[in-house]
């Protein structure tokens, strides 16, 4: 370890603390700027080491995805998009494949729907409409094999919301392995029920006998899980409440909120609030225990070409004095307990926190 | 069975499903899916008051 490296205390290892330390370090480096041995190569290398650190890149990517989806939610609620629809649709149609498959910038109103997780919603909407969603199923099979669940770790805006929650000063709790294992089953149960409902409603719709069933199921008859998804609540329902529940009545004396008496909306908001509260002291609770999209991507993604691996030659194992990897994982995977070599886990979201925190460079990313 | 064989098999199924969906013209359904999505959320949106 060089003299410039700063050891971060285990208890205060929070993102903003790290950001602060990066700035402190840069200040120190800039003050030493006049030293003759600091060549251009030195400064370029420093810039890459600091600015391209994994957690900073991931934070920036997550922030961009979050802002895009937040904007998409506003657009969806307002019903029009004054900014991006014209610009990006024009660009998208210049490239043929984008004309066929909806992409994030192709469909500003459906940025989430242009991604892998959006295809899970499509499975529900199209499947329950009586059509087998070949394209959506294809994407759900292809994406996790090629890049694992990296979507969950790098793009998912609701994952980012949970990451932000875990940055608060509240002390992070680590549920026991048994509790974690038991609760992890919930997401597979939700996935099974969702796919069962898609098959049930879809087949009845295909046969033309769905009327009574769909009426009985109400909103769940259109898309079983999508009407409960906290991501939809956060990015659609909450902007709706802000715009039509607070801003619009103030501006126009309009009384636009009969929806306030809809029980489903309050169920969604309470569900979201519970998840946010849990995320304040447990990292990524929704991703590891509830999310059926993550469950499905994990089932396929455990065979992914993109994995994290633990080196047998460089890992010190139990003799390692830091063992940061034990608590690095936001979804509770204890890297130290895994066998050497590639780590196959349906829960791994490829956030690469374990790679960044290993002081021995023993954890690496592998493809193939 | 070797993981890589399973991965390639899943990948082949995925590409086959994607190609089959495109050949059936399901991309048009995908395009109109936003409308389905909007209909599902319609109760959440206020209806404009008559003038």
């Amino acid at each position: 370890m060089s003299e410039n490296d700063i050891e971060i205390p285990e208890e205060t290892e929070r993102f903003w603390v790290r950001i602060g330390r990066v700035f402190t370090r840069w200040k120190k480096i800039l003050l030493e700027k006049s030293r003759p041995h600091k060549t251009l190569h030195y400064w370029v290398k420093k810039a890459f080491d600091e600015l391209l650190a994994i957690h900073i890149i991931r934070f920036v990517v997550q922030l961009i995805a979050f802002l895009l989806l937040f904007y998409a939610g506003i657009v969806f609620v307002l019903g029009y998009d004054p900014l991006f629809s014209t610009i990006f649709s024009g660009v998208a149609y210049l490239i043929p494949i984008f004309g066929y498959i909806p992409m994030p910038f192709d469909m500003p109103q459906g940025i989430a729907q242009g991604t892998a997780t959006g295809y899970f919603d499509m499975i529900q909407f199209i499947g329950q409409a009586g059509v087998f969603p070949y394209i959506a199923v294809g994407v759900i099979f292809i994406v996790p094999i090629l890049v694992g669940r990296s979507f969950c770790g790098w793009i998912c805006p609701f994952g980012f919301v949970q990451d932000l929650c875990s940055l608060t000063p509240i002390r992070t709790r680590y549920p026991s392995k048994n509790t974690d294992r038991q609760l992890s089953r919930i997401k597979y149960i939700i996935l099974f029920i969702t796919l069962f409902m898609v098959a049930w409603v879809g087949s009845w719709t295909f046969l033309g006998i769905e009327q009574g069933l769909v009426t009985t199921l109400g909103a769940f008859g259109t898309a079983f899980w999508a009407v409960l998804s906290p991501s939809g609540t956060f990015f659609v329902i909450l902007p709706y409440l802000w715009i039509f529940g607070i801003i619009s009545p103030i501006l126009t004396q309009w009384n636009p909120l009969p929806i306030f008496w809809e029980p489903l909306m309050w169920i969604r908001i309470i569900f979201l609030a519970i998840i946010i509260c849990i995320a304040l002291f447990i990292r990524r609770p929704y991703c590891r225990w509830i999310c059926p999209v993550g469950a499905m991507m994990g089932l396929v993604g455990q065979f992914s070409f993109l994995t994290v691996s633990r080196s047998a030659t460089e890992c010190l194992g139990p003799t390692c004095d830091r063992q940061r990897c034990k608590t690095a994982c936001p979804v509770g995977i204890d890297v130290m307990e895994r066998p050497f070599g590639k780590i196959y886990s349906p829960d791994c979201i490829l956030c690469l926190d374990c790679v960044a925190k290993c002081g021995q460079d023993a954890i690496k990313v592998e493809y193939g | 069975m070797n993981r890589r064989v399973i991965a390639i098999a899943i990948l082949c199924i995925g590409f086959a499903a994607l190609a089959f969906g495109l050949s059936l013209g399901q991309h048009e359904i995908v395009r109109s899916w936003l409308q389905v999505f909007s209909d599902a959320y319609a109760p959440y949106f206020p209806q404009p008051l008559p003038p």
Side-chain angles (χ1 to χ4, degrees), chain A residues 249-278:
Chain A
I250 290 171
L251 293 179
T252 64
Q253 307 279 318
W254 188 25
N255 180 25
L257 287 176
I259 194 67
F260 260 16
W261 309 109
E262 285 276 341
L264 182 59
M265 190 192 75
W266 289 108
I267 290 170
R268 291 185 70 149
I269 290 177
I270 291 167
F271 183 40
L272 173 68
I274 292 171
I275 289 167
I276 297 279
C277 288
I278 298 173

Side-chain angles (χ1 to χ4, degrees), chain A residues 13-15 18 58 159 162-163 165-167 170-175 180 275 277-289 324-332 349 351-354 357:
Chain A
E13 204 164 63
R14 300 269 183 219
F15 182 78
R18 288 204 295 271
R58 190 163 78 93
Q162 293 175 81
D163 284 347
C165 290
S166 68
L167 294 177
I170 299 171
R171 191 165 67 87
T172 306
R173 314 269 173 172
Y174 299 95
D180 193 41
I275 289 167
C277 288
I278 298 173
L280 291 173
F281 53 92
I282 294 177
R283 297 175 73 188
R284 295 249 183 173
Y286 181 73
C287 305
R288 57 206 279 190
W289 297 330
R324 288 176 177 177
C325 59
K326 287 181 86 71
T327 54
C329 183
V331 291
I349 58 173
C351 62
L352 309 185
D353 276 5
C354 54
K357 289 191 180 177

Side-chain angles (χ1 to χ4, degrees), chain A residues 127-130 197-217 221:
Chain A
Q128 290 190 210
M197 293 301 290
V198 169
W200 186 18
V201 178
S203 57
W204 282 37
T205 306
F206 182 74
L207 296 171
I209 53 173
E210 82 288 359
Q211 199 60 47
L213 177 64
V214 171
T215 309
T216 308
L217 290 172

Side-chain angles (χ1 to χ4, degrees), chain B residues 14-46:
Chain B
F15 277 115
L18 188 65
F20 192 58
L22 287 171
S23 70
L24 288 178
Q26 279 200 348
H27 50 284
E28 294 301 330
I29 299 174
V30 172
R31 282 200 172 285
S32 63
W33 171 71
L34 259 188
Q35 188 57 46
V36 181
F37 189 72
S38 303
D39 291 345
Y41 277 91
Y44 288 91
F45 292 90

Side-chain angles (χ1 to χ4, degrees), chain A residues 99 113 125 132 134 240 302, chain B residues 3 26 30-31 33 44 49:
Chain A
Q113 288 70 48
F125 279 104
F132 190 86
Y134 287 105
Y240 163 79
Q302 61 184 315
Chain B
R3 281 180 176 273
Q26 279 200 348
V30 172
R31 282 200 172 285
W33 171 71
Y44 288 91
L49 291 175

